[in-house]
Structures are given as structure tokens and as C-alpha cells.
């Protein structure tokens, strides 16, 4: 099948499964992003100085030197959960992120190590091209200075904005609207306040097989939902957006969100997460 | 009734010293605001303000003694004392019972987990009331 080149640069966080889903869906639906920045974001620990950054990098390198392999990130149990949670979709993505061949998805792949979006070198790289569309996958808050340069960054947020903004949108959507919803918008410096391109809601899938895990492994199940279930919907929504304009992203139309309307939610407490997970069994 | 228990707890809290409001209508004093509330009789505007306080807890984990009523930026960066914290906790429970909005329950759970600041804590008697509220869920 011939792939259609699209004017999109995917900012793929190499440690985030959502990146993998976007790329896999684009590939399966015949789209080839112009470029992929494979980003090794170091933002997770809140380190800021060069010294702290160095310690962080060295500890990873030391682990690799002493054991001959990368620090462990995912275990077999998680992979089994991913497998089960993907059972209702057309295909199962391989979430072994260390084994991803990015060249399969684009002709131009560049690997980058950046602190986060505030990293000046990373900003310089992104600002080299402000005519194209970028796709956000992860990496934290994007500072205003990038938007001042008219950069266009697409994001698929798990929640129908402005009603469901903020963290843990998958579960807050279930509480607020009884189903899961996604919004594709152009990011701005606010929290999920960008101009909306497309919104879609879906019926939630049930996983009765996982019910026995409920009492003791609710956090693991939730982490697996975020890693392997939610990204399927995000990627589907992205594909629907791209299909609407037949891959020509410059034709995308967006409308402003009403200011001061809607609700912003915050990270969910583990006890509330546990209660909400009942929606999945 | 849970609400009666919350009310009894509120009644036990020490009344505030007279605060000089200076007639400044652009100022919202946290303590005065929470003392003016009546359990189960919240107006829409009061709920809106309580939601803003909940947001402050979630985002900055700090509540100051006075805010600008329009921008809600702090006007005095002294943090509230534990009595005001407990009063706020009670009213968050009250609003949760009144609205059944999980957003308030989420904030309460975080406050109850004592993760906010070392200077605030949820006393045992208040924790017990909260546990009862959770059990009802």
C-alpha cells in the first residue's frame, strides 16, 4: 500500500506508549509523517541544573554498564495486562518500546535528548519549522514562548473540553459524562484551552476477566489502561481528524473554546481511581 | 446523620478573633469566608469559591489568609492556621454531601492523606467523620 506523506512532525516521547499508538495507527491507515523526533525526555524528576542532569544520565549509563541492559521499566505482568486491555481492538500494538523501529513510520527520524519543552536547544529545533503541524505525545507543559512564535501543536486530550480539562481525563470523563471522550485541539499555554478541531465520545469497554485483580492491583490496572487502552482511542481520533482533510493538515479548521467555561480536574486520588475502575469490570 | 456530626465538629472549633475587614470589598478573607458558610445551605457563588479553594489545594498545596476577590491571587501570603484548615475540610465535606461532586471528594482524600504541608493535619475526630463519609460511598 502506498503511503501518503503528511505535513506532520511527531514529537514522540520514546518512553510513552501513546507515541507508539499514534505511529502505528498512522502507518496502518496509510499515512507517513514527514518527520519523527524521537525524544528522550528527562523531565520526570524535577531536576533543573546541569549537575543534576548529569547525575541522572550517569546513573542510567552506570546501570547499563554494570548489568549490560537498560534499567527495567516494564515487567511481564504489565505486558499481560496490556494484551488483555487491547483484546477488543482491531489490532494489538507491540508495546516493547525498546524494540521500536521508527524508520518504519517515517523517512526522517531524528533522536533527541531534551530536558523538556523549556530546553532551549529543543525549542530552537522546533522553531526551525513553524509552518508544519507538530503532534504532541508527552513531555510536560509547553511554554508560552513557543506559541508566541506561532507554532502549531496538535494534541488529543482524553476529555470533551471545556467540560473535562486537566489530568486523569479518562476517569473524570466517565464520572462527568458516563462515557469516555476525546478532543483534538491546537495546544496553547493554558491547560487544555486550545482551539478545538474535533471531538468524539466512545462507549467504555468492559474487562470482566480483570475483575479478580480489582482489590489488590487497581493501580497496576489503571496504569495499564493509560498505557494500552486510552492511546487506542487517542490514535483513532487523530486518524479521524486526518481523514477529514484527506491528510492535508493545512485544511484543518478549529473553533475557539469559550473562556471561563467548563471544569478543570486534577490527578485522581488512588481511592477514587479504584472506585472509578469499577466502570471497567 | 453525617451532616450533624460535621456541624458538631464545626461548633467545637474556636471562634475567630475579630478580623478587621477594613470594608475592603475587593478582599476575600479565607477565615471569614469559611465562617460565614452554613452546612447544606450553600449558594452557587459559595460553591464556586469553595471550588477555587479546592483548586488552590490541588495545585499549590497552600491556602493563604486573604485573596483578591477578582483574580484570586493572594493578598497576604501568610498561610491559614490549622483551625481554618479543619473548617475548610468540614465545608468541603458539606459541599460534597450537598453536590455529590467527586471533584470535592478527590480534594478531601488528598487533604486527608496529610500530603499537603507539615503545618496542617487532619485531627483524628475529623478523620473518623471523613472515614464514615467514604464508607457511605
Amino acid at each position: 500500500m502506498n503511503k501518503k506523506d503528511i505535513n506532520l512532525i511527531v514529537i514522540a516521547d520514546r518512553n510513552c506508549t501513546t507515541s507508539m499508538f499514534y505511529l502505528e495507527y498512522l502507518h496502518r491507515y496509510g499515512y507517513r509523517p514527514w518527520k519523527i523526533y524521537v525524544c528522550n525526555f528527562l523531565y520526570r524528576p524535577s531536576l533543573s541544573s546541569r549537575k543534576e542532569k548529569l547525575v541522572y544520565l550517569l546513573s542510567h549509563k552506570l546501570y547499563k554498564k554494570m548489568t549490560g541492559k537498560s534499567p527495567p521499566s516494564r515487567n511481564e505482568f504489565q505486558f499481560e495486562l496490556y494484551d488483555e486491555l487491547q483484546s477488543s481492538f482491531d489490532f494489538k500494538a507491540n508495546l516493547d518500546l525498546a524494540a521500536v523501529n521508527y524508520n518504519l513510520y517515517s523517512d526522517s527520524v531524528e533522536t533527541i535528548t531534551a530536558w523538556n519543552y523549556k530546553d532551549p536547544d529543543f525549542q530552537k529545533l522546533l522553531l526551525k519549522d513553524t509552518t508544519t503541524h507538530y503532534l504532541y505525545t508527552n513531555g510536560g507543559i509547553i511554554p508560552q514562548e513557543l506559541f508566541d512564535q506561532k507554532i502549531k501543536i496538535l494534541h488529543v486530550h482524553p476529555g470533551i473540553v471545556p467540560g473535562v480539562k486537566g489530568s486523569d481525563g479518562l476517569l473524570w470523563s466517565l464520572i462527568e459524562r458516563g462515557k469516555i471522550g476525546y478532543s483534538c485541539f491546537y495546544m496553547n499555554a493554558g491547560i487544555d484551552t486550545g482551539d478545538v478541531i474535533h471531538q468524539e465520545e466512545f462507549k467504555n469497554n468492559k474487562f470482566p476477566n480483570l475483575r479478580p485483580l480489582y482489590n489488590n492491583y487497581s493501580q497496576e490496572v489503571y496504569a495499564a489502561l493509560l498505557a494500552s487502552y486510552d492511546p487506542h482511542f487517542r490514535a483513532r481520533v487523530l486518524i479521524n481528524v486526518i481523514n477529514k482533510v484527506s491528510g492535508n493538515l493545512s485544511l484543518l479548521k478549529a473553533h475557539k473554546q469559550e473562556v471561563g467555561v467548563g471544569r478543570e480536574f486534577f490527578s485522581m486520588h488512588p481511592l477514587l481511581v479504584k472506585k472509578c475502575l469499577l466502570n471497567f469490570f | 446523620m453525617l451532616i450533624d456530626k460535621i456541624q458538631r465538629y464545626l461548633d467545637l472549633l474556636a471562634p475567630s478573633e475579630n478580623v478587621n475587614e477594613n470594608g475592603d470589598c475587593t478582599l476575600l478573607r479565607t477565615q471569614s469566608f469559611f465562617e460565614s458558610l452554613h452546612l447544606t445551605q450553600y449558594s452557587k457563588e459559595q460553591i464556586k469559591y469553595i471550588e477555587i479553594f479546592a483548586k488552590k489545594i490541588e495545585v499549590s498545596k497552600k491556602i493563604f489568609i486573604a485573596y483578591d476577590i477578582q483574580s484570586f491571587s493572594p493578598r497576604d501570603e501568610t498561610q491559614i492556621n490549622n483551625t481554618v484548615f479543619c473548617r475548610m475540610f468540614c465545608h468541603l465535606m458539606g459541599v460534597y454531601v450537598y453536590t455529590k461532586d467527586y471533584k470535592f471528594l478527590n480534594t478531601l482524600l488528598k487533604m486527608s492523606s496529610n500530603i499537603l504541608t507539615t503545618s496542617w493535619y487532619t485531627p483524628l475526630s475529623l478523620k473518623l467523620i471523613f472515614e464514615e463519609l467514604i464508607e457511605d460511598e
Side-chain angles (χ1 to χ4, degrees):
Chain A
M1 181 182 167
N2 281 336
K3 301 284 178 198
K4 182 170 185 172
D5 289 326
I6 52 171
N7 191 15
L8 179 74
I9 298 178
V10 179
I11 307 169
D13 180 353
R14 71 180 319 159
N15 295 310
C16 173
T17 56
T18 307
S19 315
M20 195 56 243
F21 279 94
Y22 284 141
L23 293 173
E24 191 61 34
Y25 267 78
L26 286 167
H27 180 71
R28 283 171 186 266
Y29 282 82
Y31 295 115
R32 205 161 172 81
W34 177 61
K35 197 172 215 163
I36 303 171
Y37 287 139
V38 181
C39 295
N40 185 24
F41 283 119
L42 306 172
Y43 69 95
R44 281 180 181 87
S46 58
L47 311 178
S48 52
S49 71
R50 278 172 186 269
K51 188 179 156 194
E52 287 169 317
K53 197 169 172 179
L54 193 65
V55 169
Y56 178 83
L57 286 172
L58 278 176
S59 62
H60 272 240
K61 284 207 188 306
L62 269 177
Y63 185 96
K64 215 168 176 179
K65 198 167 184 181
M66 290 168 82
T67 62
K69 51 191 177 184
S70 294
S73 56
R74 294 183 169 82
N75 59 34
E76 286 305 310
F77 174 52
Q78 276 174 310
F79 278 107
E80 284 178 88
L81 281 176
Y82 295 165
D83 208 47
E84 178 65 27
L85 292 170
Q86 292 190 77
S87 56
S88 56
F89 295 98
D90 297 341
F91 74 93
K92 292 180 183 179
N94 174 15
L95 296 179
D96 184 0
L97 297 177
V100 178
N101 174 14
Y102 289 95
N103 292 311
L104 183 68
Y105 305 111
S106 175
D107 294 330
S108 175
V109 177
E110 201 173 321
T111 304
I112 290 150
T113 297
W115 196 240
N116 53 24
Y117 282 90
K118 286 182 185 159
D119 192 316
D121 292 338
F122 188 43
Q123 287 196 2
K124 218 180 277 174
L125 182 75
L126 295 177
L127 291 174
K128 268 204 292 196
D129 188 352
T130 53
T131 56
T132 189
H133 281 72
Y134 287 94
L135 176 65
Y136 177 89
T137 58
N138 206 358
I141 292 168
I142 301 186
Q144 178 65 47
E145 51 260 39
L146 279 175
F147 299 111
D148 289 341
Q149 306 290 320
K150 307 280 178 225
I151 194 168
K152 291 189 289 279
I153 305 179
L154 294 173
H155 174 45
V156 181
H157 161 75
I160 298 294
V161 294
V164 183
K165 293 183 281 194
S167 309
D168 285 328
L170 179 75
L171 298 185
W172 284 116
S173 291
L174 283 169
I175 289 176
E176 287 289 295
R177 304 173 67 95
K179 44 191 161 181
I180 54 175
Y182 291 81
S183 303
C184 178
F185 53 76
Y186 285 114
M187 292 182 92
N188 63 16
I191 296 172
D192 304 323
T193 51
D195 296 353
V196 178
I197 299 162
H198 177 77
Q199 296 184 305
E200 232 174 310
E201 286 187 299
F202 302 90
K203 201 171 157 252
N204 193 32
N205 296 347
K206 303 274 181 191
F207 305 96
N209 291 350
L210 299 181
R211 183 70 179 82
L213 298 177
Y214 177 71
N215 279 333
N216 297 325
Y217 297 100
S218 58
Q219 284 303 309
E220 285 81 356
V221 171
Y222 183 44
L225 278 167
L226 294 181
S228 62
Y229 175 76
D230 164 77
H232 265 290
F233 293 102
R234 292 192 196 224
R236 269 191 195 179
V237 168
L238 176 74
I239 293 299
N240 290 343
V241 166
I242 296 173
N243 280 344
K244 262 211 282 196
V245 290
S246 308
N248 185 356
L249 299 183
S250 58
L251 297 177
L252 286 178
K253 287 197 167 50
H255 65 268
K256 291 213 174 306
Q257 288 188 49
E258 221 176 309
V259 182
V261 176
R263 305 189 78 195
E264 191 184 325
F265 293 90
F266 304 97
S267 62
M268 206 177 257
H269 190 278
L271 282 178
L272 200 49
V273 167
K274 196 169 176 182
K275 188 173 167 63
C276 289
L277 283 182
L278 286 172
N279 287 291
F280 291 91
F281 303 123
Chain B
M1 280 276 287
L2 190 74
I3 284 292
D4 297 334
K5 287 184 183 172
I6 301 172
Q7 185 60 59
R8 276 203 293 277
Y9 186 88
L10 277 171
D11 293 342
L12 289 174
L13 291 177
S16 65
E17 293 163 25
N18 282 338
V19 182
N20 184 7
E21 302 274 348
N22 286 335
D24 186 352
C25 58
T26 65
L27 188 74
L28 181 83
R29 287 193 182 277
T30 308
Q31 182 169 346
S32 308
F33 170 73
F34 281 105
E35 284 182 358
S36 71
L37 300 175
H38 296 283
L39 277 176
T40 73
Q41 294 172 35
Y42 301 106
S43 68
K44 270 189 182 168
E45 197 183 13
Q46 285 171 336
I47 292 175
K48 192 185 88 185
Y49 282 128
I50 295 172
E51 192 168 347
I52 294 172
F53 278 112
K55 181 177 176 174
K56 297 271 176 200
I57 289 274
E58 298 261 10
V59 175
S60 69
K61 300 174 176 65
K62 283 178 188 163
I63 299 290
F64 298 115
I65 62 168
Y67 291 92
D68 183 281
I69 208 156
Q70 288 299 321
S71 64
F72 236 89
S73 53
R75 288 268 285 267
D76 182 332
E77 295 203 359
T78 310
Q79 288 197 48
I80 56 168
N81 62 31
N82 206 59
T83 310
V84 181
F85 171 78
C86 292
R87 200 177 281 281
M88 188 165 104
F89 192 92
C90 286
H91 283 293
L92 274 164
M93 281 198 284
V95 173
Y96 173 67
V97 172
Y98 183 68
T99 61
K100 286 288 167 199
D101 187 337
Y102 280 171
K103 193 173 175 176
F104 295 112
L105 181 62
N106 196 43
T107 310
L108 281 164
L109 284 162
K110 290 180 184 176
M111 290 168 88
S112 170
S113 303
N114 281 347
I115 54 163
L116 300 174
T117 103
T118 48
S119 59
W120 293 338
Y121 69 98
T122 321
L124 177 64
S125 49
L126 196 52
K127 258 196 190 330
L128 290 172
I129 299 174
F130 182 57
E131 288 303 316
E132 200 178 319
L133 182 141
I134 296 177
E135 265 174 38
D136 287 350
E137 287 305 311

